[in-house]
Amino acid sequence: MISRNILLLKLSVANLAAKPFGNLLSILLFAIGIAIISLLMRFDEQAEKQYRGNIAGIDLVAGAKGSPLQLILSAVMHADVPTGNISLSEARLISNHPLIERSIPLALGDNYLGYRIVGTEHAYAALYKADLLEGNWWKKPMEVVLGAEVAKKTQLKTGDSFTGVHGFLDIGHTHDEHPYQVSGILASTGTVVDRLILTSVESVWEVHGYHVHDENCDHDHEETVESALLEEHDELLLNQEELDELGHQEGWLVPVSESEPEITALLLFYRNPAAAITIPRLINANTRMLAASPANELNRLRSMLGYGFDALRILAWMIIIISAMSMLMQLLASLHQSMGEIALLRALGASAKSILLVLISQGLLLGFLGWAMGLLLVRIFANAFTEPVMLLLKYPILPVASEYMLLGLSMLSGLVAALLPATKAYRSNVHQILSR
Amino acid sequence: MIMTETKSLVYQYPNGKQFRFPDFILNSGEKALISGKSGSGKTTLLHLLAGILRPSSGKIIIEQQALHSLGESGLDRFRSQNTGLIFQQHLFLKSLTMSENLAIARSLAGKEQDNDWKQKLMQALSIEQLQTKKPEQLSQGELQRFSMARALINRPALLLADEPTSSLDDENFEQMIQLLHTLEKLSPFSMLIATHDSRLKNVYQSIVSL
């Protein structure tokens, strides 16, 4: 038996297909609106997730004076150039402060094929719960551990060697005389570490001409940097008042000599919440360093981007409203042409309710097609971005949770667009149409 | 046996125009004409009999069912199951094939498809080769045959036809009358034809003159 509902549904589809250009245009407009909203929602969700993941409990970052946002973007997100370098002695003073539980140094400056080489400690990888997939942690200068994405994209393996390029672009002066050797590869963490090449701070110093130790020395440099940061701990174990007083004295810090080793930034972890009040002020007012809070700066970034996103959101809603109106016009035009058919269906026994459903199903179908095309568009569009934006916006094939919410919105728009034509059809005068 | 009976039937349009129709009785198997000039209310009467319009006053009884006692959905169901309609225009659903157009008439009546009956009807009307075509691919004559097939697809007791011959030349007119005779043999029905075509008066008796 040919089901009445299937025939009525076929009729709905056929009526839409009878005006392909107009309906396709409405669907495309609607799809663009849906795609923009989906993209913004995805960006919001993913950015939030990435931000939280990359902050990884870092309370404060100390770096060279400049833009606090730039400092956070360069030292935490590894998405901007650093504001400059800071002296190791200044970094020591802060890391030994009693309100600081621990600190991790970062020394940047080079890259390999665009992936940053970060001089740091093993603790940095532990921040992101990065475990070794193969090989070993670096034990001496010029040994590196690759993030998961770096290993995948560069095809480097444990035991391979490579030379870094100065700066953060993969074109520039190569440090041919200082090759790095891959000692291990990290498992994927879904954080910024996947895109980094980790090594000891001494490696970066060595490449850039700071020889804190004999090149032939083979003792554990990792411990050396750590102990260098901690060596004055006992002397600096002052109470808060003493530190504040000390901080206000002019010339509190010893000027950095030309040959003194530098680092790029120091990641700081507070011992207790009171540090959040004292430490940033202490650094900003009394040192040549800048203190910036990752949480504050990233919130500031999000609120700045928020204005642009809001404008895009308004644009997307306007597109959706215009496309819903376009659907309404299409359905009205299509209804005008199919009044004879509607009268015929009524004369053959179709109830007015069935006719109402045919028209509403057309609206719902338009809404659904707009949603489906929007999802397709956004997936094509998101893949057109280059990394890391593409990775941030990476869509699964199936709709994500927020897109199911957009499906509801799409069907509602289709329903609203179909209501007027459906009501007209419902109230159509069958006798009058058949008597023409 | 009385097939159709009307009593004191009046219909008033919203603009005030009013038609008072004479009472008549159509017996089972009888075929008769509702004749009159254009604008005399022939189509209005036919639509009242079909339940497309509701009378302002008076009664219509078809197969012992008083139409005024039926609600909207009951009237829709009664019409689809008990009457076959042939319209002035050859109205079909453009997006469906001719076979599907016949099928939807049966579906809307809430009846199971009866392919044997459908094939018999199409064979009798010599249109079985055209069942996969769409309305726009057929001539007016072919569409008229499908109109007749659709009117009889639910084996109605009463066939109501609105000016079915007015656009036909004499040859096609004769053919149509022959086809109605052929269909009558397949499934007996009563018939009322609203017409101003004088040629039909030679074939059927006028039961109502407006």
Side-chain angles (χ1 to χ4, degrees):
Chain A
M1 177 182 170
I2 302 172
S3 152
R4 175 166 66 169
N5 291 337
I6 290 176
L7 281 171
L8 289 177
L9 187 66
K10 187 176 175 183
L11 197 63
S12 296
V13 175
N15 282 346
L16 292 180
K19 291 179 78 95
F21 182 74
N23 284 322
L24 259 179
L25 198 67
S26 302
I27 291 170
L28 189 64
L29 256 179
F30 196 83
I32 290 169
I34 291 291
I36 295 173
I37 291 179
S38 168
L39 203 65
L40 293 176
M41 287 168 91
R42 183 75 177 162
F43 187 83
D44 263 1
E45 280 169 15
Q46 293 296 95
E48 177 72 21
K49 211 166 130 188
Q50 287 272 317
Y51 286 173
R52 299 290 157 225
N54 288 339
I55 288 175
I58 301 164
D59 291 316
L60 198 69
V61 179
K65 285 209 187 290
S67 153
L69 179 59
Q70 188 183 347
L71 174 60
I72 298 303
L73 287 176
S74 65
V76 179
M77 310 303 285
H78 294 275
D80 201 348
V81 292
T83 48
N85 286 336
I86 56 174
S87 78
L88 189 62
S89 59
E90 274 193 318
R92 271 181 199 146
L93 282 170
I94 295 304
S95 62
N96 290 328
H97 192 286
L99 287 173
I100 297 298
E101 187 180 87
R102 64 189 177 114
S103 64
I104 299 172
L106 294 180
L108 307 173
D110 295 336
N111 79 91
Y112 175 66
L113 297 177
Y115 294 105
R116 292 182 177 202
I117 299 168
V118 180
T120 186
E121 297 170 357
H122 294 163
Y124 181 72
L127 265 187
Y128 298 98
K129 298 179 176 60
D131 295 322
L132 280 172
L133 186 70
E134 60 173 71
N136 299 301
W137 293 103
W138 66 89
K139 287 181 181 153
K140 53 186 182 181
M142 306 316 291
E143 281 186 344
V144 298
V145 166
L146 306 180
E149 188 191 318
V150 182
K152 190 179 162 193
K153 291 287 164 70
T154 61
Q155 298 288 304
L156 286 172
K157 292 176 183 63
T158 305
D160 288 352
S161 294
F162 66 92
T163 50
V165 173
H166 194 68
F168 298 106
L169 298 172
D170 59 356
I171 45 167
H173 168 69
T174 52
H175 299 294
D176 292 332
E177 66 283 12
H178 296 288
Y180 287 104
Q181 189 176 32
V182 180
S183 67
I185 292 169
L186 296 173
S188 176
T189 61
T191 67
V192 69
V193 170
D194 292 350
R195 303 194 299 275
L196 299 178
I197 298 168
L198 304 181
T199 184
S200 63
V201 176
E202 285 83 354
S203 304
V204 179
W205 286 343
E206 189 167 319
V207 171
H208 294 93
Y210 294 116
H211 302 287
V212 286
H213 296 283
D214 189 310
E215 279 188 23
N216 297 322
C217 117
D218 58 356
H219 66 259
D220 195 335
H221 283 249
E222 179 67 22
E223 283 185 14
T224 306
V225 172
E226 207 166 321
S227 53
L229 284 165
L230 292 170
E231 68 187 6
E232 293 178 45
H233 185 270
D234 290 340
E235 294 164 36
L236 281 163
L237 204 57
L238 306 172
N239 64 35
Q240 186 58 49
E241 280 177 15
E242 286 169 328
L243 268 165
D244 283 351
E245 190 185 337
L246 188 63
H248 283 91
Q249 287 171 13
E250 206 172 328
W252 177 59
L253 294 164
V254 180
V256 182
S257 72
E258 286 294 318
S259 59
E260 189 183 358
E262 293 176 328
I263 57 173
T264 309
L266 190 65
L267 309 181
L268 299 165
F269 300 83
Y270 297 145
R271 190 175 297 281
N272 59 48
I277 302 162
T278 310
I279 299 295
R281 201 162 36 125
L282 181 72
I283 295 171
N284 289 330
N286 301 302
T287 73
R288 280 169 296 180
M289 294 188 293
L290 168 77
S293 152
N296 291 349
E297 291 309 312
L298 291 177
N299 281 341
R300 203 159 64 87
L301 174 66
R302 291 195 67 199
S303 68
M304 281 192 298
L305 289 174
Y307 294 116
F309 284 175
D310 286 347
L312 267 177
R313 242 177 232 116
I314 290 167
L315 177 72
W317 284 113
M318 282 174 69
I319 292 172
I320 283 181
I321 291 168
I322 290 168
S323 62
M325 284 166 68
S326 165
M327 277 185 207
L328 167 69
M329 300 307 287
Q330 289 300 324
L331 289 174
L332 274 176
S334 156
L335 173 71
H336 184 70
Q337 288 178 352
S338 59
M339 276 311 232
E341 294 196 354
I342 285 166
L344 171 67
L345 285 169
R346 292 282 288 115
L348 291 177
S351 64
K353 205 163 68 181
S354 302
I355 301 299
L356 192 76
L357 289 177
V358 168
L359 267 291
I360 284 177
S361 70
Q362 285 181 18
L364 293 177
L365 197 60
L366 282 176
F368 176 78
L369 290 174
W371 174 77
M373 192 187 272
L375 261 54
L376 185 69
L377 281 182
V378 82
R379 277 155 179 74
I380 295 169
F381 186 68
N383 277 316
F385 277 111
T386 51
E387 291 175 10
V389 181
M390 191 188 86
L391 287 170
L392 183 69
L393 293 174
K394 199 172 179 186
Y395 275 88
I397 292 171
L398 292 174
V400 295
S402 55
E403 287 175 328
Y404 283 112
M405 195 193 78
L406 289 177
L407 173 63
L409 168 84
S410 307
M411 301 298 262
L412 186 69
S413 303
L415 177 70
V416 170
L419 272 182
L420 180 64
T423 310
K424 279 184 85 127
Y426 182 80
R427 292 181 176 169
S428 60
N429 187 331
V430 179
H431 163 67
Q432 205 172 51
I433 298 165
L434 292 177
S435 305
R436 276 174 199 158
Chain B
M1 188 184 167
I2 295 173
M3 163 57 62
T4 304
E5 184 180 5
T6 67
K7 284 178 187 167
S8 313
L9 203 56
V10 176
Y11 183 79
Q12 184 166 353
Y13 280 94
N15 63 7
K17 189 177 180 182
Q18 192 182 69
F19 288 109
R20 287 179 178 278
F21 298 104
D23 295 350
F24 70 91
I25 290 174
L26 181 77
N27 291 312
S28 286
E30 194 180 353
K31 289 157 187 71
L33 305 178
I34 299 168
S35 56
K37 290 180 279 186
S38 287
S40 58
K42 298 186 299 293
T43 300
T44 304
L45 178 57
L46 211 66
H47 285 181
L48 285 167
L49 292 168
I52 291 170
L53 288 176
R54 280 188 179 271
S56 306
S57 63
K59 286 181 182 172
I60 300 169
I61 299 161
I62 297 174
E63 283 201 295
Q64 299 174 328
Q65 172 68 57
L67 297 192
H68 66 271
S69 66
L70 294 171
E72 280 304 316
S73 58
L75 203 55
D76 289 336
R77 201 175 311 116
F78 184 83
R79 176 172 62 250
S80 62
Q81 291 179 350
N82 298 284
T83 59
L85 301 171
I86 298 175
F87 308 104
Q88 280 183 40
Q89 316 154 53
H90 303 308
L91 283 173
F92 287 92
L93 301 171
K94 291 194 284 276
S95 50
L96 303 184
T97 64
M98 299 316 294
S99 176
E100 286 169 337
N101 265 283
L102 298 185
I104 203 165
R106 203 154 167 95
S107 293
L108 289 171
K111 291 187 172 180
E112 292 278 329
Q113 297 300 320
D114 183 346
N115 282 323
D116 287 347
W117 174 237
K118 188 162 79 172
Q119 291 306 319
K120 266 187 193 170
L121 272 175
M122 287 194 288
Q123 275 169 16
L125 293 161
S126 307
I127 49 175
E128 71 269 36
Q129 306 294 327
L130 306 172
Q131 59 182 304
T132 54
K133 302 230 183 251
K134 293 216 170 158
E136 62 197 13
Q137 297 172 291
L138 302 186
S139 69
Q140 290 299 305
E142 289 164 340
L143 287 174
Q144 179 139 39
R145 288 171 189 231
F146 271 106
S147 289
M148 291 162 78
R150 184 177 59 199
L152 291 171
I153 194 77
N154 293 322
R155 296 176 187 262
L158 177 64
L159 198 64
L160 300 169
D162 193 4
E163 303 282 8
T165 58
S166 54
S167 60
L168 301 180
D169 58 25
D170 287 346
E171 192 185 333
N172 282 311
F173 175 85
E174 286 302 328
Q175 266 186 15
M176 186 183 166
I177 299 301
Q178 284 307 313
L179 287 173
L180 283 171
H181 288 316
T182 309
L183 294 172
E184 169 75 21
K185 284 175 196 159
L186 283 179
S187 173
F189 53 84
S190 307
M191 181 167 69
L192 272 171
I193 302 175
T195 187
H196 67 275
D197 187 349
S198 55
R199 292 175 295 180
L200 277 170
K201 285 185 180 166
N202 300 324
V203 187
Y204 304 114
Q205 190 190 347
S206 179
I207 196 170
V208 183
S209 290
L210 300 173

PDB file of all heavy atoms in Angstrom, chain B residues 82-101:
ATOM      1  N   ASN B  82     -17.660   7.764  -1.059  1.00  0.00           N
ATOM      2  CA  ASN B  82     -18.948   7.482  -1.703  1.00  0.00           C
ATOM      3  C   ASN B  82     -19.221   8.254  -2.987  1.00  0.00           C
ATOM      4  O   ASN B  82     -20.181   7.936  -3.684  1.00  0.00           O
ATOM      5  CB  ASN B  82     -20.086   7.752  -0.709  1.00  0.00           C
ATOM      6  CG  ASN B  82     -19.986   6.842   0.498  1.00  0.00           C
ATOM      7  OD1 ASN B  82     -20.317   5.669   0.429  1.00  0.00           O
ATOM      8  ND2 ASN B  82     -19.477   7.372   1.595  1.00  0.00           N
ATOM      9  N   THR B  83     -18.446   9.277  -3.249  1.00  0.00           N
ATOM     10  CA  THR B  83     -18.688  10.025  -4.499  1.00  0.00           C
ATOM     11  C   THR B  83     -17.411  10.118  -5.322  1.00  0.00           C
ATOM     12  O   THR B  83     -16.310  10.202  -4.779  1.00  0.00           O
ATOM     13  CB  THR B  83     -19.195  11.459  -4.221  1.00  0.00           C
ATOM     14  OG1 THR B  83     -18.216  12.135  -3.439  1.00  0.00           O
ATOM     15  CG2 THR B  83     -20.527  11.468  -3.493  1.00  0.00           C
ATOM     16  N   GLY B  84     -17.591  10.087  -6.615  1.00  0.00           N
ATOM     17  CA  GLY B  84     -16.471  10.306  -7.537  1.00  0.00           C
ATOM     18  C   GLY B  84     -16.691  11.639  -8.220  1.00  0.00           C
ATOM     19  O   GLY B  84     -17.815  11.960  -8.592  1.00  0.00           O
ATOM     20  N   LEU B  85     -15.616  12.415  -8.349  1.00  0.00           N
ATOM     21  CA  LEU B  85     -15.767  13.762  -8.916  1.00  0.00           C
ATOM     22  C   LEU B  85     -14.989  13.906 -10.217  1.00  0.00           C
ATOM     23  O   LEU B  85     -13.831  13.497 -10.311  1.00  0.00           O
ATOM     24  CB  LEU B  85     -15.255  14.804  -7.922  1.00  0.00           C
ATOM     25  CG  LEU B  85     -15.940  14.852  -6.543  1.00  0.00           C
ATOM     26  CD1 LEU B  85     -15.173  15.771  -5.603  1.00  0.00           C
ATOM     27  CD2 LEU B  85     -17.374  15.330  -6.679  1.00  0.00           C
ATOM     28  N   ILE B  86     -15.660  14.481 -11.205  1.00  0.00           N
ATOM     29  CA  ILE B  86     -14.956  14.870 -12.436  1.00  0.00           C
ATOM     30  C   ILE B  86     -15.113  16.385 -12.538  1.00  0.00           C
ATOM     31  O   ILE B  86     -16.236  16.895 -12.564  1.00  0.00           O
ATOM     32  CB  ILE B  86     -15.558  14.163 -13.675  1.00  0.00           C
ATOM     33  CG1 ILE B  86     -15.405  12.641 -13.541  1.00  0.00           C
ATOM     34  CG2 ILE B  86     -14.875  14.655 -14.954  1.00  0.00           C
ATOM     35  CD1 ILE B  86     -16.073  11.843 -14.654  1.00  0.00           C
ATOM     36  N   PHE B  87     -13.954  17.082 -12.540  1.00  0.00           N
ATOM     37  CA  PHE B  87     -13.989  18.549 -12.484  1.00  0.00           C
ATOM     38  C   PHE B  87     -14.000  19.162 -13.884  1.00  0.00           C
ATOM     39  O   PHE B  87     -13.662  18.510 -14.873  1.00  0.00           O
ATOM     40  CB  PHE B  87     -12.771  19.083 -11.738  1.00  0.00           C
ATOM     41  CG  PHE B  87     -12.579  18.436 -10.391  1.00  0.00           C
ATOM     42  CD1 PHE B  87     -11.600  17.476 -10.196  1.00  0.00           C
ATOM     43  CD2 PHE B  87     -13.403  18.766  -9.330  1.00  0.00           C
ATOM     44  CE1 PHE B  87     -11.433  16.866  -8.975  1.00  0.00           C
ATOM     45  CE2 PHE B  87     -13.244  18.159  -8.095  1.00  0.00           C
ATOM     46  CZ  PHE B  87     -12.260  17.203  -7.912  1.00  0.00           C
ATOM     47  N   GLN B  88     -14.348  20.456 -13.912  1.00  0.00           N
ATOM     48  CA  GLN B  88     -14.314  21.191 -15.187  1.00  0.00           C
ATOM     49  C   GLN B  88     -12.899  21.193 -15.756  1.00  0.00           C
ATOM     50  O   GLN B  88     -12.684  20.961 -16.925  1.00  0.00           O
ATOM     51  CB  GLN B  88     -14.740  22.638 -14.950  1.00  0.00           C
ATOM     52  CG  GLN B  88     -16.231  22.839 -14.854  1.00  0.00           C
ATOM     53  CD  GLN B  88     -16.591  24.317 -14.701  1.00  0.00           C
ATOM     54  OE1 GLN B  88     -15.996  25.169 -15.341  1.00  0.00           O
ATOM     55  NE2 GLN B  88     -17.568  24.601 -13.870  1.00  0.00           N
ATOM     56  N   GLN B  89     -11.919  21.495 -14.851  1.00  0.00           N
ATOM     57  CA  GLN B  89     -10.513  21.503 -15.298  1.00  0.00           C
ATOM     58  C   GLN B  89      -9.937  20.119 -15.008  1.00  0.00           C
ATOM     59  O   GLN B  89     -10.390  19.447 -14.096  1.00  0.00           O
ATOM     60  CB  GLN B  89      -9.705  22.520 -14.496  1.00  0.00           C
ATOM     61  CG  GLN B  89     -10.369  23.866 -14.276  1.00  0.00           C
ATOM     62  CD  GLN B  89      -9.841  24.548 -13.022  1.00  0.00           C
ATOM     63  OE1 GLN B  89      -8.645  24.705 -12.867  1.00  0.00           O
ATOM     64  NE2 GLN B  89     -10.736  24.951 -12.129  1.00  0.00           N
ATOM     65  N   HIS B  90      -8.932  19.757 -15.796  1.00  0.00           N
ATOM     66  CA  HIS B  90      -8.287  18.461 -15.556  1.00  0.00           C
ATOM     67  C   HIS B  90      -7.198  18.661 -14.515  1.00  0.00           C
ATOM     68  O   HIS B  90      -6.028  18.843 -14.840  1.00  0.00           O
ATOM     69  CB  HIS B  90      -7.707  17.890 -16.853  1.00  0.00           C
ATOM     70  CG  HIS B  90      -8.749  17.748 -17.918  1.00  0.00           C
ATOM     71  ND1 HIS B  90      -9.936  17.088 -17.695  1.00  0.00           N
ATOM     72  CD2 HIS B  90      -8.800  18.183 -19.198  1.00  0.00           C
ATOM     73  CE1 HIS B  90     -10.673  17.127 -18.780  1.00  0.00           C
ATOM     74  NE2 HIS B  90     -10.008  17.793 -19.718  1.00  0.00           N
ATOM     75  N   LEU B  91      -7.619  18.648 -13.270  1.00  0.00           N
ATOM     76  CA  LEU B  91      -6.670  18.906 -12.176  1.00  0.00           C
ATOM     77  C   LEU B  91      -5.966  17.627 -11.748  1.00  0.00           C
ATOM     78  O   LEU B  91      -6.623  16.639 -11.422  1.00  0.00           O
ATOM     79  CB  LEU B  91      -7.417  19.473 -10.970  1.00  0.00           C
ATOM     80  CG  LEU B  91      -7.820  20.938 -11.019  1.00  0.00           C
ATOM     81  CD1 LEU B  91      -8.696  21.272  -9.818  1.00  0.00           C
ATOM     82  CD2 LEU B  91      -6.580  21.833 -11.019  1.00  0.00           C
ATOM     83  N   PHE B  92      -4.620  17.694 -11.751  1.00  0.00           N
ATOM     84  CA  PHE B  92      -3.815  16.565 -11.250  1.00  0.00           C
ATOM     85  C   PHE B  92      -2.639  17.122 -10.464  1.00  0.00           C
ATOM     86  O   PHE B  92      -2.277  18.286 -10.625  1.00  0.00           O
ATOM     87  CB  PHE B  92      -3.303  15.696 -12.417  1.00  0.00           C
ATOM     88  CG  PHE B  92      -4.381  14.873 -13.033  1.00  0.00           C
ATOM     89  CD1 PHE B  92      -5.106  15.347 -14.122  1.00  0.00           C
ATOM     90  CD2 PHE B  92      -4.707  13.625 -12.520  1.00  0.00           C
ATOM     91  CE1 PHE B  92      -6.132  14.604 -14.677  1.00  0.00           C
ATOM     92  CE2 PHE B  92      -5.734  12.872 -13.065  1.00  0.00           C
ATOM     93  CZ  PHE B  92      -6.446  13.370 -14.155  1.00  0.00           C
ATOM     94  N   LEU B  93      -2.050  16.264  -9.642  1.00  0.00           N
ATOM     95  CA  LEU B  93      -0.858  16.680  -8.900  1.00  0.00           C
ATOM     96  C   LEU B  93       0.333  16.530  -9.848  1.00  0.00           C
ATOM     97  O   LEU B  93       0.687  15.418 -10.240  1.00  0.00           O
ATOM     98  CB  LEU B  93      -0.690  15.826  -7.647  1.00  0.00           C
ATOM     99  CG  LEU B  93      -1.883  15.895  -6.690  1.00  0.00           C
ATOM    100  CD1 LEU B  93      -1.762  14.869  -5.580  1.00  0.00           C
ATOM    101  CD2 LEU B  93      -2.027  17.288  -6.100  1.00  0.00           C
ATOM    102  N   LYS B  94       0.914  17.669 -10.203  1.00  0.00           N
ATOM    103  CA  LYS B  94       1.933  17.701 -11.269  1.00  0.00           C
ATOM    104  C   LYS B  94       3.182  16.888 -10.937  1.00  0.00           C
ATOM    105  O   LYS B  94       3.832  16.365 -11.831  1.00  0.00           O
ATOM    106  CB  LYS B  94       2.345  19.152 -11.542  1.00  0.00           C
ATOM    107  CG  LYS B  94       1.240  19.971 -12.192  1.00  0.00           C
ATOM    108  CD  LYS B  94       1.776  21.269 -12.742  1.00  0.00           C
ATOM    109  CE  LYS B  94       2.050  22.296 -11.678  1.00  0.00           C
ATOM    110  NZ  LYS B  94       0.889  23.089 -11.258  1.00  0.00           N
ATOM    111  N   SER B  95       3.505  16.827  -9.648  1.00  0.00           N
ATOM    112  CA  SER B  95       4.760  16.158  -9.288  1.00  0.00           C
ATOM    113  C   SER B  95       4.630  14.638  -9.204  1.00  0.00           C
ATOM    114  O   SER B  95       5.629  13.943  -9.083  1.00  0.00           O
ATOM    115  CB  SER B  95       5.259  16.702  -7.957  1.00  0.00           C
ATOM    116  OG  SER B  95       4.211  16.666  -7.021  1.00  0.00           O
ATOM    117  N   LEU B  96       3.402  14.130  -9.269  1.00  0.00           N
ATOM    118  CA  LEU B  96       3.210  12.679  -9.181  1.00  0.00           C
ATOM    119  C   LEU B  96       2.915  12.096 -10.555  1.00  0.00           C
ATOM    120  O   LEU B  96       2.417  12.795 -11.451  1.00  0.00           O
ATOM    121  CB  LEU B  96       2.052  12.356  -8.234  1.00  0.00           C
ATOM    122  CG  LEU B  96       2.146  12.882  -6.796  1.00  0.00           C
ATOM    123  CD1 LEU B  96       0.961  12.372  -5.972  1.00  0.00           C
ATOM    124  CD2 LEU B  96       3.443  12.468  -6.128  1.00  0.00           C
ATOM    125  N   THR B  97       3.206  10.799 -10.704  1.00  0.00           N
ATOM    126  CA  THR B  97       2.860  10.123 -11.963  1.00  0.00           C
ATOM    127  C   THR B  97       1.345   9.912 -11.982  1.00  0.00           C
ATOM    128  O   THR B  97       0.674  10.052 -10.953  1.00  0.00           O
ATOM    129  CB  THR B  97       3.547   8.749 -12.058  1.00  0.00           C
ATOM    130  OG1 THR B  97       3.032   7.929 -11.005  1.00  0.00           O
ATOM    131  CG2 THR B  97       5.055   8.860 -11.942  1.00  0.00           C
ATOM    132  N   MET B  98       0.804   9.521 -13.157  1.00  0.00           N
ATOM    133  CA  MET B  98      -0.636   9.315 -13.257  1.00  0.00           C
ATOM    134  C   MET B  98      -1.069   8.168 -12.346  1.00  0.00           C
ATOM    135  O   MET B  98      -2.125   8.233 -11.718  1.00  0.00           O
ATOM    136  CB  MET B  98      -1.031   9.026 -14.713  1.00  0.00           C
ATOM    137  CG  MET B  98      -0.708  10.153 -15.681  1.00  0.00           C
ATOM    138  SD  MET B  98      -1.135  11.812 -15.092  1.00  0.00           S
ATOM    139  CE  MET B  98      -2.913  11.744 -15.019  1.00  0.00           C
ATOM    140  N   SER B  99      -0.239   7.138 -12.274  1.00  0.00           N
ATOM    141  CA  SER B  99      -0.555   6.011 -11.400  1.00  0.00           C
ATOM    142  C   SER B  99      -0.617   6.470  -9.941  1.00  0.00           C
ATOM    143  O   SER B  99      -1.507   6.073  -9.182  1.00  0.00           O
ATOM    144  CB  SER B  99       0.511   4.928 -11.582  1.00  0.00           C
ATOM    145  OG  SER B  99       0.269   3.883 -10.694  1.00  0.00           O
ATOM    146  N   GLU B 100       0.356   7.329  -9.553  1.00  0.00           N
ATOM    147  CA  GLU B 100       0.366   7.847  -8.173  1.00  0.00           C
ATOM    148  C   GLU B 100      -0.822   8.779  -7.928  1.00  0.00           C
ATOM    149  O   GLU B 100      -1.359   8.837  -6.815  1.00  0.00           O
ATOM    150  CB  GLU B 100       1.676   8.599  -7.899  1.00  0.00           C
ATOM    151  CG  GLU B 100       2.862   7.659  -7.736  1.00  0.00           C
ATOM    152  CD  GLU B 100       4.207   8.376  -7.717  1.00  0.00           C
ATOM    153  OE1 GLU B 100       4.297   9.515  -8.247  1.00  0.00           O
ATOM    154  OE2 GLU B 100       5.168   7.797  -7.193  1.00  0.00           O
ATOM    155  N   ASN B 101      -1.234   9.500  -8.982  1.00  0.00           N
ATOM    156  CA  ASN B 101      -2.408  10.354  -8.847  1.00  0.00           C
ATOM    157  C   ASN B 101      -3.651   9.519  -8.545  1.00  0.00           C
ATOM    158  O   ASN B 101      -4.505   9.930  -7.757  1.00  0.00           O
ATOM    159  CB  ASN B 101      -2.624  11.164 -10.130  1.00  0.00           C
ATOM    160  CG  ASN B 101      -1.995  12.552 -10.039  1.00  0.00           C
ATOM    161  OD1 ASN B 101      -2.538  13.446  -9.408  1.00  0.00           O
ATOM    162  ND2 ASN B 101      -0.818  12.717 -10.649  1.00  0.00           N
TER     163      ASN B 101
END
